[in-house]
Amino acid sequence: MCIIHPHSQSQESNWASPAPSSLYSLLETQPCQGVHKMAYALTAAAATIFALPILLLLHSLWKPSRLYPLPPGPKKLPIVENMFDIPTGACIWLKYAEMCQKYKSDIIHLSALGNSIVVLNSAKMVSDLLDNRGSIYSSRPPAIMLGELMGWGTSAVFRPNDDLWKAQRKILNQALPPTDPQKFHQKELSATHDLLRVLPYTDNVMQSLQTWAAAFIMDITYGLKGEEAEPYLPMGMAAVKSMGIGGTPGAFYVDQIPILKHIPGWFPGADFQRKARGWSDLRMNMTESIFNVTKEKVAMGIAAPSLTSFALEEMDHKQDLASQEDLIKITAVTAFSGGADTPVSVLGEFILAMLRNPEVQAKAHSELERVLGPGNLPSLNDVGSLPYITAVVRETLRYSPVTPLAFPHELIEDDIYAGYLLPKGSIVLANVWSILHNEDDYPEPHLFNPSRFLDSNGQIDPAIKDPATPVFGFGRRVCPGKHIALDLLWIAIASILTSFSIEPGSDYEDETFVKPNLKSKSSESGPTTMLSHPRPFKCRFIPRSKEKYL
Ligand code: HEM
């Protein structure tokens, strides 16, 4: 047996001169070369057999992006990672904002149960990623309860970035063109006048706003109004409410442990399956029944203009009509669900802000009196001459954003940003609340101060960032109803302030009013839902003039 001893004298000379260029050449310089060659060949073959699959696997896993670290965030524990760090319960946007402060970074990362979460805490980061890199940041994470079990997964709001989503966005864009906001002014004005008739008599303002907003969006999406719409409003509102419950993060274990979706409804503890079935039936009833009413009216040539009538009239009769109708149905119910609840939240916050800040209300009243004169209601043509009202709308959107964490976006491929790896499949959350409470952009952000949006001449100051930008979402997912919602909110707020003095109701001593920043939202005293709504409260709408406006 021939053994090489590298440290023996005879070997030293071989090592010293000339230096062999490889192990193979070294072996060639040794005695018993034949045996060595064979041993080498066998070793090399064995090594290749065992190492090749590993090398191939490593090669397939290796990507240059893996050289970058993840963004900072709470320490990841073995197996559970950040399971106990992911905020739950009330005000999770504040908890994320605190985490960003703790880790001194406007981008943080958490992971648990196979989910990777990236939180963006600044306007710049949100714009860099969700807007400027929209091609990879515009998908949606899967939602098992809401999307699969309740069936909302076909709706554009929850759809990944695929052809069905694109087809719905196309209809939304054509039927509700942002380039032609005037198209909806008459509907917005008429809905506002309906609201003015209701407010002095309501003893549950949030409930009245719910019904009113649902009626408005029913008109926009299906062209049904008044008595025609009435039978469908409770169903529509119930469907939207169930959507809010089903989409509440953490409300159903099946969202964290997807395998649970296979448990049958009769199984003890599978209550979520029974709820999902009921809510899915509700969604389907609503999708079909209201669509069919409008379809009949279109066929008879008596339909009021709406998203559905427009899309039905635009159908390509050379293509499959049934599948085109299905697409219109889904798009209409999507638009209804997107617009039925959101304005309620903003107007509820506006009313609370007026109750808490009587000096703001007084300033608004005086601008309206000066510009409109007694007995006149505003129209959307008055926007330019009522800057303080515009400032009140902006401050309402800023002070209490409806969706403080926007809607989650999903990243569809690995990305590198600010020296960090953002992994494919990450759920990306934009902390809209932080963006709108940033001291640099909005000094004393915890004060409700519409004047922050005005320049020294009392005009809207273009240098102060418009909160509508983050409030209505980002990139390719930006809210397709933004222009309609903004005009509706403006005319509703201007008209309410023209017509009424908003005064506290009997429960003014409730801490909702005494401590304005605390517990005014359902989401601040309970689990976070997708939307942030004020809790029910009492107030009175006292007519400001003896003259009749309507
Ligand atoms: C105050 C009123 C409203 C607010 C604050 C609001 C806000 C939002 C936000 C934050 C998103 C998610 C954007 C993102 O993922 O980045 C969104 C999406 C959406 N909104 Fe609105 N919205 C409002 C009114 C409306 C109205 C009136 C409609 C219908 C006419 C509507 C229809 C939709 C739809 C269909 C989506 C899904 C878009 C998609 O995922 O591609 N919204 N909205």
Side-chain angles (χ1 to χ4, degrees), residues 140 156-157 165 169 334-335 338-339 342 403 409 471-474 477 479-480 485:
R140 292 272 194 233
V157 187
W165 170 69
R169 288 286 316 203
T334 294
T342 35
T403 50
H409 286 220
V471 163
F472 286 91
F474 309 100
R477 289 279 174 171
C479 173

mmCIF file with all atom_site columns, all heavy atoms in Angstrom, residues 140 156-157 165 169 334-335 338-339 342 403 409 471-474 477 479-480 485, ligand 1:
data_model
loop_
_atom_site.group_PDB
_atom_site.id
_atom_site.type_symbol
_atom_site.label_atom_id
_atom_site.label_alt_id
_atom_site.label_comp_id
_atom_site.label_asym_id
_atom_site.label_entity_id
_atom_site.label_seq_id
_atom_site.pdbx_PDB_ins_code
_atom_site.Cartn_x
_atom_site.Cartn_y
_atom_site.Cartn_z
_atom_site.occupancy
_atom_site.B_iso_or_equiv
_atom_site.pdbx_formal_charge
_atom_site.auth_seq_id
_atom_site.auth_comp_id
_atom_site.auth_asym_id
_atom_site.auth_atom_id
_atom_site.pdbx_PDB_model_num
ATOM   1   N  N   . ARG A 1 140 ? -52.385 40.465 -5.086  1.00 0.00 ? 140 ARG A N   1
ATOM   2   C  CA  . ARG A 1 140 ? -53.012 40.386 -3.761  1.00 0.00 ? 140 ARG A CA  1
ATOM   3   C  C   . ARG A 1 140 ? -52.690 39.037 -3.142  1.00 0.00 ? 140 ARG A C   1
ATOM   4   O  O   . ARG A 1 140 ? -52.702 38.010 -3.848  1.00 0.00 ? 140 ARG A O   1
ATOM   5   C  CB  . ARG A 1 140 ? -54.537 40.473 -3.877  1.00 0.00 ? 140 ARG A CB  1
ATOM   6   C  CG  . ARG A 1 140 ? -55.054 41.803 -4.337  1.00 0.00 ? 140 ARG A CG  1
ATOM   7   C  CD  . ARG A 1 140 ? -55.279 42.756 -3.177  1.00 0.00 ? 140 ARG A CD  1
ATOM   8   N  NE  . ARG A 1 140 ? -56.059 43.883 -3.601  1.00 0.00 ? 140 ARG A NE  1
ATOM   9   C  CZ  . ARG A 1 140 ? -55.702 45.152 -3.420  1.00 0.00 ? 140 ARG A CZ  1
ATOM   10  N  NH1 . ARG A 1 140 ? -54.573 45.450 -2.825  1.00 0.00 ? 140 ARG A NH1 1
ATOM   11  N  NH2 . ARG A 1 140 ? -56.478 46.131 -3.833  1.00 0.00 ? 140 ARG A NH2 1
ATOM   12  N  N   . ALA A 1 156 ? -62.354 41.874 -8.183  1.00 0.00 ? 156 ALA A N   1
ATOM   13  C  CA  . ALA A 1 156 ? -61.078 42.553 -8.455  1.00 0.00 ? 156 ALA A CA  1
ATOM   14  C  C   . ALA A 1 156 ? -60.348 42.941 -7.170  1.00 0.00 ? 156 ALA A C   1
ATOM   15  O  O   . ALA A 1 156 ? -59.124 42.875 -7.107  1.00 0.00 ? 156 ALA A O   1
ATOM   16  C  CB  . ALA A 1 156 ? -61.327 43.801 -9.291  1.00 0.00 ? 156 ALA A CB  1
ATOM   17  N  N   . VAL A 1 157 ? -61.100 43.304 -6.135  1.00 0.00 ? 157 VAL A N   1
ATOM   18  C  CA  . VAL A 1 157 ? -60.455 43.787 -4.912  1.00 0.00 ? 157 VAL A CA  1
ATOM   19  C  C   . VAL A 1 157 ? -59.498 42.739 -4.339  1.00 0.00 ? 157 VAL A C   1
ATOM   20  O  O   . VAL A 1 157 ? -58.431 43.071 -3.833  1.00 0.00 ? 157 VAL A O   1
ATOM   21  C  CB  . VAL A 1 157 ? -61.512 44.148 -3.837  1.00 0.00 ? 157 VAL A CB  1
ATOM   22  C  CG1 . VAL A 1 157 ? -60.862 44.813 -2.645  1.00 0.00 ? 157 VAL A CG1 1
ATOM   23  C  CG2 . VAL A 1 157 ? -62.607 45.011 -4.411  1.00 0.00 ? 157 VAL A CG2 1
ATOM   24  N  N   . TRP A 1 165 ? -58.681 39.936 -13.135 1.00 0.00 ? 165 TRP A N   1
ATOM   25  C  CA  . TRP A 1 165 ? -58.525 41.250 -12.488 1.00 0.00 ? 165 TRP A CA  1
ATOM   26  C  C   . TRP A 1 165 ? -58.415 42.344 -13.562 1.00 0.00 ? 165 TRP A C   1
ATOM   27  O  O   . TRP A 1 165 ? -59.088 43.373 -13.483 1.00 0.00 ? 165 TRP A O   1
ATOM   28  C  CB  . TRP A 1 165 ? -57.287 41.245 -11.583 1.00 0.00 ? 165 TRP A CB  1
ATOM   29  C  CG  . TRP A 1 165 ? -56.925 42.610 -11.077 1.00 0.00 ? 165 TRP A CG  1
ATOM   30  C  CD1 . TRP A 1 165 ? -57.632 43.353 -10.175 1.00 0.00 ? 165 TRP A CD1 1
ATOM   31  C  CD2 . TRP A 1 165 ? -55.803 43.399 -11.461 1.00 0.00 ? 165 TRP A CD2 1
ATOM   32  N  NE1 . TRP A 1 165 ? -56.995 44.561 -9.973  1.00 0.00 ? 165 TRP A NE1 1
ATOM   33  C  CE2 . TRP A 1 165 ? -55.881 44.617 -10.744 1.00 0.00 ? 165 TRP A CE2 1
ATOM   34  C  CE3 . TRP A 1 165 ? -54.726 43.199 -12.326 1.00 0.00 ? 165 TRP A CE3 1
ATOM   35  C  CZ2 . TRP A 1 165 ? -54.922 45.632 -10.879 1.00 0.00 ? 165 TRP A CZ2 1
ATOM   36  C  CZ3 . TRP A 1 165 ? -53.779 44.203 -12.456 1.00 0.00 ? 165 TRP A CZ3 1
ATOM   37  C  CH2 . TRP A 1 165 ? -53.889 45.407 -11.738 1.00 0.00 ? 165 TRP A CH2 1
ATOM   38  N  N   . ARG A 1 169 ? -60.808 45.601 -14.190 1.00 0.00 ? 169 ARG A N   1
ATOM   39  C  CA  . ARG A 1 169 ? -60.277 46.975 -14.138 1.00 0.00 ? 169 ARG A CA  1
ATOM   40  C  C   . ARG A 1 169 ? -60.615 47.710 -15.444 1.00 0.00 ? 169 ARG A C   1
ATOM   41  O  O   . ARG A 1 169 ? -60.892 48.901 -15.440 1.00 0.00 ? 169 ARG A O   1
ATOM   42  C  CB  . ARG A 1 169 ? -58.753 46.970 -13.949 1.00 0.00 ? 169 ARG A CB  1
ATOM   43  C  CG  . ARG A 1 169 ? -58.268 46.571 -12.595 1.00 0.00 ? 169 ARG A CG  1
ATOM   44  C  CD  . ARG A 1 169 ? -58.425 47.535 -11.468 1.00 0.00 ? 169 ARG A CD  1
ATOM   45  N  NE  . ARG A 1 169 ? -58.121 48.923 -11.622 1.00 0.00 ? 169 ARG A NE  1
ATOM   46  C  CZ  . ARG A 1 169 ? -57.811 49.732 -10.590 1.00 0.00 ? 169 ARG A CZ  1
ATOM   47  N  NH1 . ARG A 1 169 ? -57.714 49.261 -9.370  1.00 0.00 ? 169 ARG A NH1 1
ATOM   48  N  NH2 . ARG A 1 169 ? -57.612 51.008 -10.762 1.00 0.00 ? 169 ARG A NH2 1
ATOM   49  N  N   . THR A 1 334 ? -68.350 44.010 -7.395  1.00 0.00 ? 334 THR A N   1
ATOM   50  C  CA  . THR A 1 334 ? -67.066 44.505 -6.886  1.00 0.00 ? 334 THR A CA  1
ATOM   51  C  C   . THR A 1 334 ? -67.147 46.006 -6.620  1.00 0.00 ? 334 THR A C   1
ATOM   52  O  O   . THR A 1 334 ? -66.729 46.493 -5.567  1.00 0.00 ? 334 THR A O   1
ATOM   53  C  CB  . THR A 1 334 ? -65.951 44.232 -7.926  1.00 0.00 ? 334 THR A CB  1
ATOM   54  O  OG1 . THR A 1 334 ? -65.791 42.827 -8.039  1.00 0.00 ? 334 THR A OG1 1
ATOM   55  C  CG2 . THR A 1 334 ? -64.642 44.857 -7.540  1.00 0.00 ? 334 THR A CG2 1
ATOM   56  N  N   . ALA A 1 335 ? -67.670 46.748 -7.602  1.00 0.00 ? 335 ALA A N   1
ATOM   57  C  CA  . ALA A 1 335 ? -67.773 48.203 -7.436  1.00 0.00 ? 335 ALA A CA  1
ATOM   58  C  C   . ALA A 1 335 ? -68.715 48.524 -6.282  1.00 0.00 ? 335 ALA A C   1
ATOM   59  O  O   . ALA A 1 335 ? -68.446 49.414 -5.468  1.00 0.00 ? 335 ALA A O   1
ATOM   60  C  CB  . ALA A 1 335 ? -68.271 48.843 -8.723  1.00 0.00 ? 335 ALA A CB  1
ATOM   61  N  N   . GLY A 1 338 ? -66.916 47.938 -3.085  1.00 0.00 ? 338 GLY A N   1
ATOM   62  C  CA  . GLY A 1 338 ? -65.843 48.924 -2.847  1.00 0.00 ? 338 GLY A CA  1
ATOM   63  C  C   . GLY A 1 338 ? -66.383 50.264 -2.385  1.00 0.00 ? 338 GLY A C   1
ATOM   64  O  O   . GLY A 1 338 ? -65.724 50.974 -1.627  1.00 0.00 ? 338 GLY A O   1
ATOM   65  N  N   . GLY A 1 339 ? -67.591 50.614 -2.845  1.00 0.00 ? 339 GLY A N   1
ATOM   66  C  CA  . GLY A 1 339 ? -68.074 51.966 -2.567  1.00 0.00 ? 339 GLY A CA  1
ATOM   67  C  C   . GLY A 1 339 ? -69.186 52.053 -1.544  1.00 0.00 ? 339 GLY A C   1
ATOM   68  O  O   . GLY A 1 339 ? -69.617 53.152 -1.200  1.00 0.00 ? 339 GLY A O   1
ATOM   69  N  N   . THR A 1 342 ? -67.056 52.641 2.339   1.00 0.00 ? 342 THR A N   1
ATOM   70  C  CA  . THR A 1 342 ? -65.944 53.577 2.538   1.00 0.00 ? 342 THR A CA  1
ATOM   71  C  C   . THR A 1 342 ? -66.391 55.027 2.783   1.00 0.00 ? 342 THR A C   1
ATOM   72  O  O   . THR A 1 342 ? -65.894 55.660 3.721   1.00 0.00 ? 342 THR A O   1
ATOM   73  C  CB  . THR A 1 342 ? -64.984 53.478 1.338   1.00 0.00 ? 342 THR A CB  1
ATOM   74  O  OG1 . THR A 1 342 ? -65.760 53.236 0.142   1.00 0.00 ? 342 THR A OG1 1
ATOM   75  C  CG2 . THR A 1 342 ? -64.012 52.357 1.504   1.00 0.00 ? 342 THR A CG2 1
ATOM   76  N  N   . THR A 1 403 ? -58.692 53.361 5.530   1.00 0.00 ? 403 THR A N   1
ATOM   77  C  CA  . THR A 1 403 ? -57.963 52.089 5.541   1.00 0.00 ? 403 THR A CA  1
ATOM   78  C  C   . THR A 1 403 ? -56.523 52.400 5.996   1.00 0.00 ? 403 THR A C   1
ATOM   79  O  O   . THR A 1 403 ? -55.654 52.642 5.177   1.00 0.00 ? 403 THR A O   1
ATOM   80  C  CB  . THR A 1 403 ? -57.951 51.440 4.142   1.00 0.00 ? 403 THR A CB  1
ATOM   81  O  OG1 . THR A 1 403 ? -57.538 52.434 3.201   1.00 0.00 ? 403 THR A OG1 1
ATOM   82  C  CG2 . THR A 1 403 ? -59.309 50.922 3.749   1.00 0.00 ? 403 THR A CG2 1
ATOM   83  N  N   . HIS A 1 409 ? -50.827 44.456 -0.591  1.00 0.00 ? 409 HIS A N   1
ATOM   84  C  CA  . HIS A 1 409 ? -50.353 44.108 -1.944  1.00 0.00 ? 409 HIS A CA  1
ATOM   85  C  C   . HIS A 1 409 ? -49.455 42.883 -1.800  1.00 0.00 ? 409 HIS A C   1
ATOM   86  O  O   . HIS A 1 409 ? -48.885 42.653 -0.737  1.00 0.00 ? 409 HIS A O   1
ATOM   87  C  CB  . HIS A 1 409 ? -49.519 45.247 -2.531  1.00 0.00 ? 409 HIS A CB  1
ATOM   88  C  CG  . HIS A 1 409 ? -50.321 46.434 -2.974  1.00 0.00 ? 409 HIS A CG  1
ATOM   89  N  ND1 . HIS A 1 409 ? -50.043 47.135 -4.118  1.00 0.00 ? 409 HIS A ND1 1
ATOM   90  C  CD2 . HIS A 1 409 ? -51.400 47.061 -2.430  1.00 0.00 ? 409 HIS A CD2 1
ATOM   91  C  CE1 . HIS A 1 409 ? -50.911 48.135 -4.261  1.00 0.00 ? 409 HIS A CE1 1
ATOM   92  N  NE2 . HIS A 1 409 ? -51.732 48.112 -3.242  1.00 0.00 ? 409 HIS A NE2 1
ATOM   93  N  N   . VAL A 1 471 ? -54.602 57.754 0.700   1.00 0.00 ? 471 VAL A N   1
ATOM   94  C  CA  . VAL A 1 471 ? -55.878 57.210 1.201   1.00 0.00 ? 471 VAL A CA  1
ATOM   95  C  C   . VAL A 1 471 ? -56.550 56.290 0.181   1.00 0.00 ? 471 VAL A C   1
ATOM   96  O  O   . VAL A 1 471 ? -57.208 55.320 0.550   1.00 0.00 ? 471 VAL A O   1
ATOM   97  C  CB  . VAL A 1 471 ? -56.822 58.371 1.615   1.00 0.00 ? 471 VAL A CB  1
ATOM   98  C  CG1 . VAL A 1 471 ? -58.264 57.899 1.733   1.00 0.00 ? 471 VAL A CG1 1
ATOM   99  C  CG2 . VAL A 1 471 ? -56.374 58.967 2.937   1.00 0.00 ? 471 VAL A CG2 1
ATOM   100 N  N   . PHE A 1 472 ? -56.381 56.573 -1.104  1.00 0.00 ? 472 PHE A N   1
ATOM   101 C  CA  . PHE A 1 472 ? -57.065 55.769 -2.121  1.00 0.00 ? 472 PHE A CA  1
ATOM   102 C  C   . PHE A 1 472 ? -56.167 54.693 -2.741  1.00 0.00 ? 472 PHE A C   1
ATOM   103 O  O   . PHE A 1 472 ? -56.526 54.105 -3.761  1.00 0.00 ? 472 PHE A O   1
ATOM   104 C  CB  . PHE A 1 472 ? -57.653 56.678 -3.201  1.00 0.00 ? 472 PHE A CB  1
ATOM   105 C  CG  . PHE A 1 472 ? -58.879 57.416 -2.721  1.00 0.00 ? 472 PHE A CG  1
ATOM   106 C  CD1 . PHE A 1 472 ? -58.765 58.658 -2.130  1.00 0.00 ? 472 PHE A CD1 1
ATOM   107 C  CD2 . PHE A 1 472 ? -60.139 56.840 -2.813  1.00 0.00 ? 472 PHE A CD2 1
ATOM   108 C  CE1 . PHE A 1 472 ? -59.884 59.330 -1.653  1.00 0.00 ? 472 PHE A CE1 1
ATOM   109 C  CE2 . PHE A 1 472 ? -61.268 57.506 -2.339  1.00 0.00 ? 472 PHE A CE2 1
ATOM   110 C  CZ  . PHE A 1 472 ? -61.143 58.756 -1.762  1.00 0.00 ? 472 PHE A CZ  1
ATOM   111 N  N   . GLY A 1 473 ? -55.032 54.432 -2.119  1.00 0.00 ? 473 GLY A N   1
ATOM   112 C  CA  . GLY A 1 473 ? -54.241 53.280 -2.541  1.00 0.00 ? 473 GLY A CA  1
ATOM   113 C  C   . GLY A 1 473 ? -53.223 53.601 -3.616  1.00 0.00 ? 473 GLY A C   1
ATOM   114 O  O   . GLY A 1 473 ? -53.052 54.756 -4.011  1.00 0.00 ? 473 GLY A O   1
ATOM   115 N  N   . PHE A 1 474 ? -52.581 52.542 -4.113  1.00 0.00 ? 474 PHE A N   1
ATOM   116 C  CA  . PHE A 1 474 ? -51.306 52.739 -4.800  1.00 0.00 ? 474 PHE A CA  1
ATOM   117 C  C   . PHE A 1 474 ? -51.182 51.964 -6.107  1.00 0.00 ? 474 PHE A C   1
ATOM   118 O  O   . PHE A 1 474 ? -51.772 50.887 -6.264  1.00 0.00 ? 474 PHE A O   1
ATOM   119 C  CB  . PHE A 1 474 ? -50.175 52.295 -3.860  1.00 0.00 ? 474 PHE A CB  1
ATOM   120 C  CG  . PHE A 1 474 ? -50.299 52.928 -2.508  1.00 0.00 ? 474 PHE A CG  1
ATOM   121 C  CD1 . PHE A 1 474 ? -50.846 52.216 -1.458  1.00 0.00 ? 474 PHE A CD1 1
ATOM   122 C  CD2 . PHE A 1 474 ? -49.943 54.247 -2.310  1.00 0.00 ? 474 PHE A CD2 1
ATOM   123 C  CE1 . PHE A 1 474 ? -51.006 52.799 -0.212  1.00 0.00 ? 474 PHE A CE1 1
ATOM   124 C  CE2 . PHE A 1 474 ? -50.102 54.842 -1.067  1.00 0.00 ? 474 PHE A CE2 1
ATOM   125 C  CZ  . PHE A 1 474 ? -50.620 54.111 -0.023  1.00 0.00 ? 474 PHE A CZ  1
ATOM   126 N  N   . ARG A 1 477 ? -53.222 49.277 -8.336  1.00 0.00 ? 477 ARG A N   1
ATOM   127 C  CA  . ARG A 1 477 ? -54.406 48.932 -7.533  1.00 0.00 ? 477 ARG A CA  1
ATOM   128 C  C   . ARG A 1 477 ? -55.152 50.167 -7.047  1.00 0.00 ? 477 ARG A C   1
ATOM   129 O  O   . ARG A 1 477 ? -56.078 50.047 -6.244  1.00 0.00 ? 477 ARG A O   1
ATOM   130 C  CB  . ARG A 1 477 ? -53.974 48.117 -6.323  1.00 0.00 ? 477 ARG A CB  1
ATOM   131 C  CG  . ARG A 1 477 ? -53.523 46.719 -6.675  1.00 0.00 ? 477 ARG A CG  1
ATOM   132 C  CD  . ARG A 1 477 ? -54.724 45.812 -6.845  1.00 0.00 ? 477 ARG A CD  1
ATOM   133 N  NE  . ARG A 1 477 ? -54.328 44.497 -7.311  1.00 0.00 ? 477 ARG A NE  1
ATOM   134 C  CZ  . ARG A 1 477 ? -55.144 43.459 -7.391  1.00 0.00 ? 477 ARG A CZ  1
ATOM   135 N  NH1 . ARG A 1 477 ? -56.410 43.570 -7.045  1.00 0.00 ? 477 ARG A NH1 1
ATOM   136 N  NH2 . ARG A 1 477 ? -54.724 42.312 -7.836  1.00 0.00 ? 477 ARG A NH2 1
ATOM   137 N  N   . CYS A 1 479 ? -57.595 53.000 -6.141  1.00 0.00 ? 479 CYS A N   1
ATOM   138 C  CA  . CYS A 1 479 ? -59.059 52.852 -6.127  1.00 0.00 ? 479 CYS A CA  1
ATOM   139 C  C   . CYS A 1 479 ? -59.679 53.384 -7.424  1.00 0.00 ? 479 CYS A C   1
ATOM   140 O  O   . CYS A 1 479 ? -59.517 54.565 -7.753  1.00 0.00 ? 479 CYS A O   1
ATOM   141 C  CB  . CYS A 1 479 ? -59.607 53.626 -4.932  1.00 0.00 ? 479 CYS A CB  1
ATOM   142 S  SG  . CYS A 1 479 ? -61.400 53.687 -4.920  1.00 0.00 ? 479 CYS A SG  1
ATOM   143 N  N   . PRO A 1 480 ? -60.421 52.564 -8.148  1.00 0.00 ? 480 PRO A N   1
ATOM   144 C  CA  . PRO A 1 480 ? -61.034 53.039 -9.399  1.00 0.00 ? 480 PRO A CA  1
ATOM   145 C  C   . PRO A 1 480 ? -62.223 53.963 -9.168  1.00 0.00 ? 480 PRO A C   1
ATOM   146 O  O   . PRO A 1 480 ? -62.722 54.569 -10.115 1.00 0.00 ? 480 PRO A O   1
ATOM   147 C  CB  . PRO A 1 480 ? -61.484 51.740 -10.085 1.00 0.00 ? 480 PRO A CB  1
ATOM   148 C  CG  . PRO A 1 480 ? -61.610 50.734 -8.998  1.00 0.00 ? 480 PRO A CG  1
ATOM   149 C  CD  . PRO A 1 480 ? -60.680 51.137 -7.895  1.00 0.00 ? 480 PRO A CD  1
ATOM   150 N  N   . ALA A 1 485 ? -65.687 59.137 -5.357  1.00 0.00 ? 485 ALA A N   1
ATOM   151 C  CA  . ALA A 1 485 ? -65.731 59.271 -3.898  1.00 0.00 ? 485 ALA A CA  1
ATOM   152 C  C   . ALA A 1 485 ? -65.343 60.685 -3.476  1.00 0.00 ? 485 ALA A C   1
ATOM   153 O  O   . ALA A 1 485 ? -65.999 61.283 -2.617  1.00 0.00 ? 485 ALA A O   1
ATOM   154 C  CB  . ALA A 1 485 ? -64.795 58.250 -3.268  1.00 0.00 ? 485 ALA A CB  1
HETATM 155 C  C1  . HEM B 2 .   ? -64.093 57.211 0.577   1.00 0.00 ? 1   HEM B C1  1
HETATM 156 C  C2  . HEM B 2 .   ? -64.229 56.338 -0.369  1.00 0.00 ? 1   HEM B C2  1
HETATM 157 C  C3  . HEM B 2 .   ? -63.218 55.311 -0.777  1.00 0.00 ? 1   HEM B C3  1
HETATM 158 C  C4  . HEM B 2 .   ? -61.991 55.019 -0.248  1.00 0.00 ? 1   HEM B C4  1
HETATM 159 C  C5  . HEM B 2 .   ? -61.286 55.682 0.927   1.00 0.00 ? 1   HEM B C5  1
HETATM 160 C  C6  . HEM B 2 .   ? -61.443 53.923 -1.025  1.00 0.00 ? 1   HEM B C6  1
HETATM 161 C  C7  . HEM B 2 .   ? -60.202 53.357 -0.801  1.00 0.00 ? 1   HEM B C7  1
HETATM 162 C  C8  . HEM B 2 .   ? -59.703 52.293 -1.510  1.00 0.00 ? 1   HEM B C8  1
HETATM 163 C  C9  . HEM B 2 .   ? -58.432 51.663 -1.252  1.00 0.00 ? 1   HEM B C9  1
HETATM 164 C  C10 . HEM B 2 .   ? -57.430 52.076 -0.175  1.00 0.00 ? 1   HEM B C10 1
HETATM 165 C  C11 . HEM B 2 .   ? -58.297 50.646 -2.132  1.00 0.00 ? 1   HEM B C11 1
HETATM 166 C  C12 . HEM B 2 .   ? -57.121 49.665 -2.230  1.00 0.00 ? 1   HEM B C12 1
HETATM 167 C  C13 . HEM B 2 .   ? -56.029 50.256 -3.095  1.00 0.00 ? 1   HEM B C13 1
HETATM 168 C  C14 . HEM B 2 .   ? -54.763 49.445 -3.049  1.00 0.00 ? 1   HEM B C14 1
HETATM 169 O  O1  . HEM B 2 .   ? -54.815 48.228 -2.981  1.00 0.00 ? 1   HEM B O1  1
HETATM 170 O  O2  . HEM B 2 .   ? -53.665 50.042 -3.084  1.00 0.00 ? 1   HEM B O2  1
HETATM 171 C  C15 . HEM B 2 .   ? -59.487 50.615 -2.947  1.00 0.00 ? 1   HEM B C15 1
HETATM 172 C  C16 . HEM B 2 .   ? -59.719 49.693 -3.931  1.00 0.00 ? 1   HEM B C16 1
HETATM 173 C  C17 . HEM B 2 .   ? -60.893 49.631 -4.633  1.00 0.00 ? 1   HEM B C17 1
HETATM 174 N  N1  . HEM B 2 .   ? -61.944 50.513 -4.580  1.00 0.00 ? 1   HEM B N1  1
HETATM 175 FE FE1 . HEM B 2 .   ? -62.099 52.121 -3.387  1.00 0.00 ? 1   HEM B FE1 1
HETATM 176 N  N2  . HEM B 2 .   ? -62.333 53.582 -1.993  1.00 0.00 ? 1   HEM B N2  1
HETATM 177 C  C18 . HEM B 2 .   ? -63.433 54.402 -1.889  1.00 0.00 ? 1   HEM B C18 1
HETATM 178 C  C19 . HEM B 2 .   ? -64.533 54.415 -2.688  1.00 0.00 ? 1   HEM B C19 1
HETATM 179 C  C20 . HEM B 2 .   ? -64.759 53.568 -3.746  1.00 0.00 ? 1   HEM B C20 1
HETATM 180 C  C21 . HEM B 2 .   ? -65.876 53.642 -4.647  1.00 0.00 ? 1   HEM B C21 1
HETATM 181 C  C22 . HEM B 2 .   ? -66.964 54.725 -4.618  1.00 0.00 ? 1   HEM B C22 1
HETATM 182 C  C23 . HEM B 2 .   ? -65.753 52.594 -5.502  1.00 0.00 ? 1   HEM B C23 1
HETATM 183 C  C24 . HEM B 2 .   ? -66.624 52.195 -6.653  1.00 0.00 ? 1   HEM B C24 1
HETATM 184 C  C25 . HEM B 2 .   ? -67.176 53.012 -7.470  1.00 0.00 ? 1   HEM B C25 1
HETATM 185 C  C26 . HEM B 2 .   ? -64.548 51.864 -5.130  1.00 0.00 ? 1   HEM B C26 1
HETATM 186 C  C27 . HEM B 2 .   ? -64.107 50.714 -5.740  1.00 0.00 ? 1   HEM B C27 1
HETATM 187 C  C28 . HEM B 2 .   ? -62.904 50.097 -5.455  1.00 0.00 ? 1   HEM B C28 1
HETATM 188 C  C29 . HEM B 2 .   ? -62.456 48.872 -6.108  1.00 0.00 ? 1   HEM B C29 1
HETATM 189 C  C30 . HEM B 2 .   ? -63.215 48.074 -7.164  1.00 0.00 ? 1   HEM B C30 1
HETATM 190 C  C31 . HEM B 2 .   ? -61.188 48.592 -5.600  1.00 0.00 ? 1   HEM B C31 1
HETATM 191 C  C32 . HEM B 2 .   ? -60.291 47.405 -5.947  1.00 0.00 ? 1   HEM B C32 1
HETATM 192 C  C33 . HEM B 2 .   ? -59.218 47.828 -6.919  1.00 0.00 ? 1   HEM B C33 1
HETATM 193 C  C34 . HEM B 2 .   ? -58.222 46.720 -7.214  1.00 0.00 ? 1   HEM B C34 1
HETATM 194 O  O3  . HEM B 2 .   ? -57.896 45.927 -6.339  1.00 0.00 ? 1   HEM B O3  1
HETATM 195 O  O4  . HEM B 2 .   ? -57.741 46.685 -8.353  1.00 0.00 ? 1   HEM B O4  1
HETATM 196 N  N3  . HEM B 2 .   ? -63.972 52.495 -4.073  1.00 0.00 ? 1   HEM B N3  1
HETATM 197 N  N4  . HEM B 2 .   ? -60.314 51.634 -2.560  1.00 0.00 ? 1   HEM B N4  1
#
